[in-house]
Amino acid sequence: MSYPLPTDTRGEIPVGPLVLVRADPFGLTRRLREYGRPVTLLVRPRTVALPVPPSGKAHHLEGPASDNAPAGTVTFHTLREYVLGDDLRHVHWRSSARTGTLMVRQFIDASLPTTTVLLDTRGLTEPAVDAAASAAVAAARAGFPVRVVTGDGPLPDTKTDAETVLDRLALVRPGTSGVTEALRTARGGGSLVLVTADPSEAGRIAGARRRFDRVICVYVGPGPAPAGPPGVTVVPITSLDELPAAWSSR
């Protein structure tokens, strides 16, 4: 016997408890029994594999050589469980004693270009969230810093953790704030990927070209794709399945 779960909708989905119903053939009596406790299922966005957005810097295209950045450029990122081969000098003994699990400090190279993904949540559609997740996860899984921002502000704790990126984007909801202010205050450097259904936004990000090495606009709106200003690559899609081919052809 199988019990389908409602995973077609992104976000937090309440599941359970399981209710079994027993009834007599004549429908005169019925018995209900609950099994288990209610839980919350987090349905993440869909993603497709994409190459890391090039920033004009060779090491951004090739990716970091290891999980540990070169000496002199490292910055502490997070704590994680020890895995075989980790440098024992990075063990965080206080956290290890508190949790009962060997924990190590994870460092990232602060000099690596960042991929900033700016998601326009006005008129939000699932392909838009999926496209933003795909671009952010591509950079995160390659070991590069990632910032995910909406008109309401940055999503916390995205950095280089692809799993956290997906968890945060699973909860994004339609908003009323545009991305103009978020774009103005976004820290420059690396690549900027704007995902929007508003054709006018492709023109507004032209000013950001001076602050980023590469600017990409993923347009998921209806109608023909807007013409991007000089220095802005426009990637038009109507569904997530179109993104890999459109992304690679630009």
Side-chain angles (χ1 to χ4, degrees), residues 109-120:
D109 186 349
S111 69
L112 288 174
T114 297
T115 296
T116 300
V117 179
L118 181 55
L119 175 60
D120 188 353

Side-chain angles (χ1 to χ4, degrees), residues 51-72:
V52 179
S55 71
K57 301 178 186 293
H59 64 283
H60 191 201
L61 287 170
E62 297 167 0
S66 67
D67 291 337
N68 296 324

Side-chain angles (χ1 to χ4, degrees), residues 5-226:
L5 297 176
T7 58
D8 292 336
T9 303
R10 175 182 53 84
E12 291 183 329
I13 309 297
V15 177
L18 175 66
V19 178
L20 293 184
V21 181
R22 289 186 178 181
D24 71 278
F26 303 101
L28 299 176
T29 61
R30 189 173 66 161
R31 181 181 180 185
L32 304 180
R33 176 172 293 183
E34 293 186 354
Y35 290 88
R37 294 182 177 181
V39 296
T40 300
L41 178 68
L42 185 64
V43 181
R44 292 171 163 181
R46 290 180 58 213
T47 59
V48 290
L50 299 175
V52 179
S55 71
K57 301 178 186 293
H59 64 283
H60 191 201
L61 287 170
E62 297 167 0
S66 67
D67 291 337
N68 296 324
T73 63
V74 295
T75 182
F76 172 75
H77 171 47
T78 188
L79 292 174
R80 60 170 174 78
E81 291 188 14
Y82 171 88
V83 296
L84 187 63
D86 282 338
D87 191 335
L88 292 178
R89 293 175 297 179
H90 295 163
V91 173
H92 194 273
W93 296 108
R94 182 178 300 177
S95 297
S96 299
R98 185 175 65 251
T99 62
T101 301
L102 200 58
M103 305 293 293
V104 296
R105 299 178 182 89
Q106 181 178 350
F107 298 90
I108 62 172
D109 186 349
S111 69
L112 288 174
T114 297
T115 296
T116 300
V117 179
L118 181 55
L119 175 60
D120 188 353
T121 56
R122 296 168 301 167
L124 189 66
T125 63
E126 290 309 302
V129 180
D130 296 343
S134 297
V137 165
R141 287 181 175 163
F144 295 110
V146 179
R147 289 191 297 262
V148 182
V149 184
T150 71
D152 296 322
L155 303 187
D157 305 323
T158 47
K159 293 284 186 169
T160 60
D161 188 348
E163 303 305 311
T164 302
V165 167
L166 292 172
D167 287 347
R168 298 290 183 265
L169 284 171
L171 302 177
V172 167
R173 290 292 176 260
T176 57
S177 300
V179 296
T180 302
E181 182 63 17
L183 182 60
R184 186 184 68 81
T185 58
R187 190 172 19 164
S191 297
L192 171 67
V193 180
L194 169 66
V195 182
T196 183
D198 185 350
S200 63
E201 292 294 351
R204 293 194 185 106
I205 62 174
R209 184 65 183 88
R210 299 187 303 271
R211 295 186 290 122
F212 293 89
D213 301 311
R214 179 95 186 253
V215 177
I216 301 171
C217 175
V218 179
Y219 177 68
V220 293

